[in-house]
Amino acid sequence: MRSMGGDQVEEAVASCVTLLRTAVEQDWEGTKAGRLDWSCRETAEHICGDLIAYAGQLAGRATKAYMPFDIVMEDGTDNAGHLDVIETTGALLAAAVRTTPREVRAFHPYPFRSANREGFAAMGVTEILVHTHDIAEGLGLAYEPPAELCADVLARIFPHVRPGDAPWPTLLWATGRGELSDRAPLTEWRWNNNLVIPAERLTLQGVTPAAAADLSAGGTGGFEWVEDGPFEGTRSAAGMVAKSYEAGTHRPEWGMFVLVRTEDGRAVGGMGFHGAPDEDRRAEVGYDLAESARGNGYASEALGALSAWALSREDVDVLFAAIDHTNLPSQGVISRAGYTRVSEELETYAYEEQGLERSLRLYARES
């Protein structure tokens, strides 16, 4: 997995200024930037403002709101000067991303009120790419950034968007700027930073499609694991996330989470859902831990937090798990997390009508 970090921010900045320096003699102030209401000059200022704001969020460890500052260009700053500031603010964001510890999260309003360093890097790259497109469109320039960079962004903050074979047109479509023959145009759009759910000694960190693909292929997914992790069930679940992303059916909050110990930032296991809630408002949970992390109550603690989060939503009434009748430790985990064995009648129905293996036992927790 290629990390999303300072290198990618600098790559995006380079793609922007290399193109736009060829047009510094044009009228940016009097030219509208593509479909935007802003001029090309205002759009360049917007890029600078976003980059410095994201750097400030990470550097200042802001947790409740945006840092209360903005960037203002000096009177008389020309087009070339605006590009200098894009390079400068891009360098500041790249530095902030590189020097921010992995576990730090800072405030960003959408959708879950925070983002980590990869999220801020991906948001910064997106702002650079799509607004360079806007300026280029207004100035009559052809622009196409590196395909791998676009794919990196899509796999991190657009997990709900089917990637397709052409990353740049897909990113333009995902941001309401382009058309794809097999998809309806977008009039509204949002990116999606990963959800993090706190527990007492752990955090449950939502796995992006990029991290899922890496885990499935034998990598770390960008996490620092205990010595014998991740366990095989985590890699298998990550493969399911990667496949659903490629198919365009992935719903990020109903995917997979990695359990990370607060005390040392080490990942100890995986947990999540087998898919979004069905028409009866039911969702299935699953989990596993690295062997060295078992016996500490981590799974029960995490499952309790995940279940409370899910059952607080309006689209879920019941969570359930299917556990082998010989797996006594897992039965203990599920029971301590507030789940109870379903009735014999419901279990029989699952065996006979839904094809549940008879070696499995059903446990459920209701809202």
Side-chain angles (χ1 to χ4, degrees), residues 6-27:
D7 290 351
Q8 283 66 44
V9 173
E10 291 174 346
E11 184 179 3
V13 168
S15 79
C16 166
V17 299
T18 298
L19 176 71
L20 297 185
R21 285 200 192 282
T22 67
V24 292
E25 300 303 323
Q26 293 192 41
D27 178 14

Side-chain angles (χ1 to χ4, degrees), residues 95-277:
V97 169
R98 290 186 176 117
T99 57
T100 298
R102 188 198 176 283
E103 291 303 303
V104 168
R105 296 188 72 85
F107 173 82
H108 187 276
Y110 188 83
F112 302 118
R113 312 293 289 178
S114 71
N116 62 9
R117 64 189 185 190
E118 282 207 351
F120 278 105
M123 290 186 288
V125 169
T126 301
E127 293 285 357
I128 295 166
L129 299 186
V130 300
H131 288 313
T132 300
H133 163 81
D134 296 331
I135 297 171
E137 191 172 50
L139 298 176
L141 305 174
Y143 176 62
E144 183 167 350
E148 187 177 17
L149 188 59
C150 301
D152 288 340
V153 167
L154 288 167
R156 281 172 176 81
I157 58 172
F158 292 91
H160 51 294
V161 172
R162 176 164 55 89
D165 298 324
W168 176 229
T170 301
L171 182 58
L172 288 177
W173 175 85
T175 56
R177 288 170 167 80
E179 297 181 359
L180 295 176
S181 60
D182 59 342
R183 310 185 202 187
L186 293 181
T187 56
E188 296 182 355
W189 64 273
R190 291 283 190 179
W191 50 48
N192 196 315
N193 281 292
N194 65 321
L195 171 65
V196 173
I197 300 172
E200 183 179 351
R201 296 170 296 165
L202 307 162
T203 56
L204 288 75
Q205 301 186 15
V207 173
T208 66
D214 188 60
L215 280 167
S216 178
T220 66
F223 296 91
E224 294 184 8
W225 288 87
V226 292
E227 60 274 10
D228 57 343
F231 200 62
E232 58 188 27
T234 295
R235 294 202 186 279
S236 176
M240 294 171 61
V241 170
K243 288 180 180 178
S244 66
Y245 170 64
E246 292 293 335
T249 60
H250 179 52
R251 287 182 58 186
E253 64 269 38
W254 298 106
M256 174 185 168
F257 298 80
V258 164
L259 314 184
V260 179
R261 280 194 308 228
T262 305
E263 66 178 18
D264 60 3
R266 295 282 180 176
V268 299
M271 180 174 291
F273 303 96
H274 289 205

